[in-house]
Amino acid sequence: MPVDRVLRQHGHILANADALEALVSGPRPASVEGLGFRRWLFTRDLLMHFAKMEGQVYGPLMDEVGGEVAHVASHASAETAALVADFREHVTRWHGFPSEAQWDIYARATRWLTARIRERLEGEATDILPLLSRLPVDERGACPGKPDHRYVADAWEIRELIFGGAAPAVAADAEPGNAGSMPEDKDQENDRNRNAEQPQQDALAHLNPPSSWFRLRK
């Protein structure tokens, strides 16, 4: 995975963290819709990033490089797993609309979580980015790893908690070999879409994940 792509993903996550922190630093919103949209952007970008790092960076560094590099990657993978566990615990506790009396408690819990996330991204930038040049590549110059399905599944399970929707369906004609992959050019498309003005309601809340991207299996 190129360094600039990782840094771009960091930028998206940090921007979402800033926006969520700004929202919870103010008074409790009149309705939950804007909060739900912000929570989903935060979840989607964070866990899809971790899925890519686990499958395309940590896994190959551990399995195919070895040595001290593998040790650093293993530590980063464990730190990511611990953060995702904290993230899931937070979302499970706070996926609804906090009451007026709970708003300050929710805000403190959110700021604690975003501080943990910033710390993890700083660890990636410091410890992992210098190792990306060691990643194995195929004959086309691409890393053979794929996004980690566990964190992809986590993202869509959390989406259900946030919006209370039905479980995303996987098309019956999806090819097993491609169901868990996420095309790299989707990053550029997401970048363009991200720059658009926030819609009045989260259209993503009503969409099923494309079956060619995800397989909800742990």
Side-chain angles (χ1 to χ4, degrees):
M1 184 186 298
V3 170
D4 62 342
R5 179 157 291 166
V6 176
L7 292 176
R8 188 166 65 249
Q9 291 170 4
H10 283 187
H12 295 329
I13 294 166
L14 293 173
N16 288 340
D18 288 344
L20 186 59
E21 287 171 346
L23 190 154
V24 302
S25 294
R28 179 177 180 267
S31 65
V32 74
E33 282 77 13
L35 179 60
F37 177 82
R38 186 54 57 193
R39 284 167 165 170
W40 170 235
L41 286 183
F42 194 42
T43 298
R44 182 194 64 187
D45 287 357
L46 182 71
L47 294 188
M48 296 307 158
H49 170 71
F50 285 159
K52 290 182 179 181
M53 293 299 291
E54 189 68 35
Q56 297 178 347
V57 177
Y58 303 150
L61 289 178
M62 287 186 285
D63 297 341
E64 302 185 42
V65 178
E68 180 61 23
V69 169
H71 175 75
V72 173
S74 177
H75 177 75
S77 177
E79 289 291 311
T80 298
L83 174 55
V84 172
D86 287 342
F87 188 86
R88 287 201 60 141
E89 182 177 354
H90 173 88
V91 173
T92 300
R93 169 68 178 86
W94 293 108
H95 66 273
F97 193 23
S99 68
E100 192 74 47
Q102 293 177 315
W103 186 253
D104 286 344
I105 300 172
Y106 169 65
R108 289 196 298 271
T110 299
R111 287 191 288 268
W112 174 84
L113 183 66
T114 54
R116 289 268 286 116
I117 290 167
R118 293 177 193 279
E119 181 181 9
R120 177 84 295 273
L121 297 187
E122 180 65 26
E124 286 184 5
T126 302
D127 301 330
I128 300 301
L129 291 189
L131 303 178
L132 294 185
S133 62
R134 305 284 299 276
L135 282 170
V137 295
D138 59 23
E139 63 277 3
R140 296 173 298 172
C143 180
K146 293 183 178 180
D148 188 280
H149 297 163
R150 294 170 300 169
Y151 296 151
V152 173
D154 283 336
W156 288 98
E157 288 173 4
I158 290 171
R159 170 190 174 275
E160 291 181 48
L161 284 176
I162 293 172
F163 295 113
V170 175
D173 59 352
E175 297 182 15
N178 296 329
S181 64
M182 178 181 295
E184 288 297 310
D185 60 1
K186 276 293 175 183
D187 280 344
Q188 284 76 27
E189 179 180 337
N190 288 339
D191 288 345
R192 292 193 301 273
N193 293 338
R194 200 183 311 276
N195 292 329
E197 184 176 347
Q198 177 177 332
Q200 292 299 313
Q201 60 182 354
D202 181 15
L204 292 172
H206 310 293
L207 296 179
N208 288 333
S211 59
S212 62
W213 288 8
F214 306 112
R215 175 169 54 208
L216 301 185
R217 184 180 70 189
K218 294 185 179 179

